[in-house]
Amino acid sequence: MAEVLQRRRRRRSSDGMLSAALSYAALGWPVCRGAAPSGSSGRACGCDRVGCPDPGAHPVSATWGLEATTDREVITRWWSAASGANVILPTGRVFDVFDVPAGAGVMALARMGRAGLQAGPVAAVDAQRYLFFVATRSPADEDEWWSCHLDCVPESIEETPGLRWHCRDSYVLAAPSRLPSGNPVAWIRAPEAPDAAGAPSLPDPIAVLDILSDSCEEFLPS
């Protein structure tokens, strides 16, 4: 009975990943395959890297930037072949993402509400980080925006402690991907379909950045 229940859970998880990947593609958001949240021999990540620094939260392929697609046939083939794969969203194409500590994110959402500022899509990662999706400024402002790589330590950035910018050459883990903790990435504010003119429902990054910067400074004082 336990094995049957586990198979059912895996099937539902697989169907959910594929459905989510296709829904992102329908929004015009390219997707690629992410590593599974667990592997053989008790590893926290399904990749081949021993001591992976970001288990279940990175692309399967080193060429993910080239492979990312909105093609439904390709996406269906990927998740049919790798049912446990998480979903990765490249940034700096349709959107950028501000990645902040959860406490600062809660504070920022409250401030946006009081200010009448539309937050746009917001996701929670393992109740530790909040992801704020905004209109991309990449590659127009190459000097102002930069990629967030796997081993960066945002708390070491004095101007905006705890804040990461995901733009060109970066990516984020998408709902309903699961982490080694067993918790999924979850939408707090789900993305909306583009309007009649084809424009995505994404807020201006500068307005969101101002509030997030202040919230991070208060939540993680230097």
Side-chain angles (χ1 to χ4, degrees), residues 30 64-69 90-96 136 138 167-168:
W64 60 270
L66 297 175
E67 293 182 0
T69 185
T91 54
R93 302 183 184 191
V94 180
F95 50 79
D96 291 340
T136 184
S138 179
C167 55
R168 183 173 57 87

Side-chain angles (χ1 to χ4, degrees), residues 29 109 112 117-124 131-133 186-192 201:
W29 293 9
L109 283 174
M112 290 178 192
L117 175 64
Q118 185 73 7
V122 181
L131 306 179
F132 287 76
F133 288 66
W187 286 111
I188 297 172
R189 294 176 54 90
E192 299 177 359
S201 301

Side-chain angles (χ1 to χ4, degrees), residues 98-102 105-106 109 122-125 127-132 188:
F98 294 125
D99 176 349
V100 301
V106 171
L109 283 174
V122 181
V125 180
Q128 300 295 318
R129 308 286 300 183
Y130 272 26
L131 306 179
F132 287 76
I188 297 172

Side-chain angles (χ1 to χ4, degrees), residues 18-31 67-80:
L18 175 57
S19 177
L22 291 173
S23 70
Y24 297 136
L27 291 174
W29 293 9
V31 302
E67 293 182 0
T69 185
T70 58
D71 188 303
R72 293 179 61 88
E73 291 185 6
V74 173
I75 292 169
T76 300
R77 184 171 69 250
W78 280 346
W79 269 272
S80 296

Side-chain angles (χ1 to χ4, degrees), residues 132-185:
F132 287 76
F133 288 66
V134 296
T136 184
R137 291 170 64 89
S138 179
D141 295 319
E142 295 289 348
D143 294 333
E144 182 178 354
W145 299 78
W146 62 92
S147 304
C148 172
H149 294 288
L150 190 62
D151 298 323
C152 74
V153 182
E155 286 75 11
S156 67
I157 303 174
E158 294 181 0
E159 293 83 358
T160 51
L163 175 63
R164 296 171 176 167
W165 293 265
H166 294 275
C167 55
R168 183 173 57 87
D169 298 330
S170 190
Y171 55 82
V172 292
L173 192 62
S177 298
R178 290 195 171 274
L179 298 165
S181 64
N183 296 325
V185 178

